[in-house]
C-alpha cells in the first residue's frame, strides 16, 4: 500500500473537507507516536502513513499552518498558541483540546490515524481517551521513540522543513534531491523557529516535565511499545513494524 492522504481537514479545521476521500484500508490503524522533540516522529509518521494509509495528525503542523495561512484571520487563541510555539513552550491544554475537538472527524475517520505531538500531557491523554471512547474508536498501540539527548540535538540542528507541505528533511541523513528545495512541491526549505538552540532547550524541558509521564499512563493501559530511534529512518521504521507485529 502507498497511500497519499489529504490532511486539509486536520490542518485547516472543520470548514475544510478532504479533497481525496480516504482509501479505506482492510484494517483501520490508530497509533499514537511519542518521543522527545527531534527524535524523528514526523519522519516515521510519513513512512507509517504510506504503509498503512492512516493519516498523519500532527498538532504542531496545525499551529504552523495557522501561522503561514496568509490572509486568513486567525483567532486570538490560535495567535497565542503560535506565540508559545515560537518560544518552545507548550500550548495550553484548553486550546489544544478545543482544536482537536473541532477535528473529531479526523479521529473517527475510517482511514485511521497517526497522532504525532498529541497528546502531550496526561490531561490531554485522558481527554483523548474520553473522545475516542464515546466514538467507539480504540488506539491500537502507543509507540515511544527513544534516543539519547545528544543525538536528538544533532538531529534537530540538521532538520529542515517545507513550510508549504510540511515534508521533513535532514541536511545529512535525509537530504532533499536539490539542496534547500522540497522534493514534493519545490518550495524553499526552512529551519523551524523552534529548532533554534534557545527554544530547543525549553522544548526538551517541557517534554521531560509534561510529556514523559505519558509513558507510565500508556504502560498502565498496556499500549506502550518502545522503539530505539538510532540509525536511518528505514532502520527505525523496520523496528517499528517489528514492535507492532509483536504487539498484535
Ligand atoms: P511539534 O511539531 O509536535 O514539535 O510541536 C511544535 C510546538 O507546537 C510545540 O513545541 C508546542 O509549542 C506546540 N504543540 C504542539 N502540540 C502540542 C500539544 N499537544 N500540547 C501543547 N503544545 C503543543
Amino acid at each position: 500500500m502507498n497511500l497519499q492522504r489529504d490532511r486539509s481537514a486536520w490542518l485547516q479545521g472543520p470548514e475544510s473537507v478532504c479533497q481525496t476521500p480516504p482509501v479505506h484500508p482492510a484494517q483501520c490503524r490508530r497509533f499514537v507516536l511519542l518521543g522527545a522533540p527531534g527524535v524523528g516522529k514526523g519522519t516515521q509518521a510519513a513512512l507509517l502513513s504510506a504503509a498503512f494509509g492512516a493519516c498523519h495528525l500532527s498538532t504542531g503542523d496545525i499551529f504552523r499552518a495557522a501561522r503561514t495561512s496568509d490572509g486568513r484571520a486567525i483567532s486570538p487563541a490560535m495567535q497565542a498558541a503560535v506565540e508559545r510555539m515560537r518560544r518552545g513552550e507548550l500550548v495550553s491544554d484548553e486550546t489544544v483540546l478545543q482544536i482537536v475537538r473541532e477535528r473529531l472527524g479526523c479521529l473517527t475517520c475510517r482511514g485511521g490515524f497517526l497522532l504525532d505531538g498529541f497528546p502531550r500531557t496526561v490531561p490531554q491523554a485522558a481527554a483523548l481517551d474520553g473522545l475516542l471512547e464515546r466514538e467507539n474508536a480504540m488506539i491500537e498501540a502507543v509507540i515511544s521513540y527513544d534516543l539519547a539527548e545528544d543525538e536528538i540535538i544533532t538531529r534537530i540542528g540538521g532538520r529542515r522543513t517545507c513550510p508549504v507541505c510540511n515534508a521533513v528533511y535532514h541536511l545529512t541523513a535525509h537530504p532533499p534531491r536539490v539542496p534547500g528545495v522540497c522534493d514534493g512541491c519545490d518550495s524553499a526549505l526552512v529551519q523551524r523557529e523552534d529548532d533554534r538552540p534557545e527554544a530547543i532547550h525549553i522544548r526538551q524541558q517541557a517534554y521531560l516535565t509534561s510529556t514523559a509521564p505519558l509513558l507510565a499512563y500508556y504502560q498502565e493501559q498496556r499500549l506502550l511499545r518502545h522503539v530505539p530511534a538510532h540509525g536511518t529512518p528505514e532502520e527505525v521504521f523496520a523496528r517499528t513494524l517489528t514492535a507492532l507485529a509483536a504487539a498484535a
Side-chain angles (χ1 to χ4, degrees):
M1 196 180 318
N2 194 355
L3 303 172
Q4 189 67 32
R5 290 287 302 273
D6 173 19
R7 302 195 302 153
S8 48
W10 178 255
L11 295 178
Q12 275 126 43
E15 71 277 6
S16 186
V17 279
C18 297
Q19 292 304 308
T20 48
V23 179
H24 301 309
Q27 194 191 354
C28 167
R29 315 298 298 262
R30 294 191 173 112
F31 302 118
V32 171
L33 311 186
L34 289 182
V39 79
K41 298 185 296 296
T43 303
Q44 293 305 310
L47 295 170
L48 286 162
S49 180
F52 296 145
C55 203
H56 175 198
L57 305 182
S58 151
T59 35
D61 282 349
I62 296 176
F63 300 130
R64 281 183 285 278
R67 194 192 46 198
T68 53
S69 64
D70 26 71
R72 277 192 298 125
I74 68 170
S75 68
M78 187 59 102
Q79 230 151 4
V82 168
E83 271 314 305
R84 293 188 75 118
M85 177 175 76
R86 271 206 188 108
R87 293 194 294 266
E89 298 165 5
L90 289 190
V91 175
S92 73
D93 286 344
E94 192 195 349
T95 301
V96 171
L97 288 171
Q98 185 195 331
I99 283 165
V100 170
R101 279 194 205 100
E102 285 170 2
R103 292 158 171 79
L104 185 61
C106 294
L107 295 181
T108 55
C109 171
R110 285 192 298 137
F113 63 65
L114 299 155
L115 278 173
D116 164 12
F118 175 83
R120 233 178 175 103
T121 65
V122 171
Q124 289 180 17
L128 174 65
D129 283 349
L131 284 176
L132 293 178
E133 209 174 294
R134 276 197 292 283
E135 301 294 333
N136 230 351
M138 302 259 293
I139 295 171
E140 187 180 330
V142 175
I143 306 161
S144 172
Y145 290 103
D146 305 331
L147 193 65
E149 193 177 334
D150 53 346
E151 213 169 315
I152 288 179
I153 304 289
T154 308
R155 279 196 189 173
I156 294 182
R159 178 157 69 180
R160 297 293 179 271
T161 57
C162 174
V164 176
C165 73
N166 293 305
V168 182
Y169 300 88
H170 189 275
L171 292 179
T172 51
H174 174 46
R177 281 193 295 269
V178 178
V181 178
C182 178
D183 291 350
C185 69
D186 288 340
S187 304
L189 301 178
V190 296
Q191 181 169 39
R192 280 169 48 169
E193 276 177 284
D194 59 349
D195 278 352
R196 286 172 292 116
E198 57 277 24
I200 290 174
H201 181 68
I202 298 171
R203 288 165 69 204
Q204 297 295 339
Q205 287 307 313
Y207 175 77
L208 290 176
T209 311
S210 304
T211 310
L214 284 180
L215 299 177
Y217 181 90
Y218 285 121
Q219 178 70 47
E220 188 129 316
Q221 295 190 13
R222 298 180 176 281
L223 289 174
L224 191 66
R225 315 282 170 247
H226 285 279
V227 172
H230 60 270
T232 65
E234 291 71 26
E235 286 164 349
V236 180
F237 182 56
R239 270 181 231 129
T240 305
L241 295 183
T242 304
L244 292 177

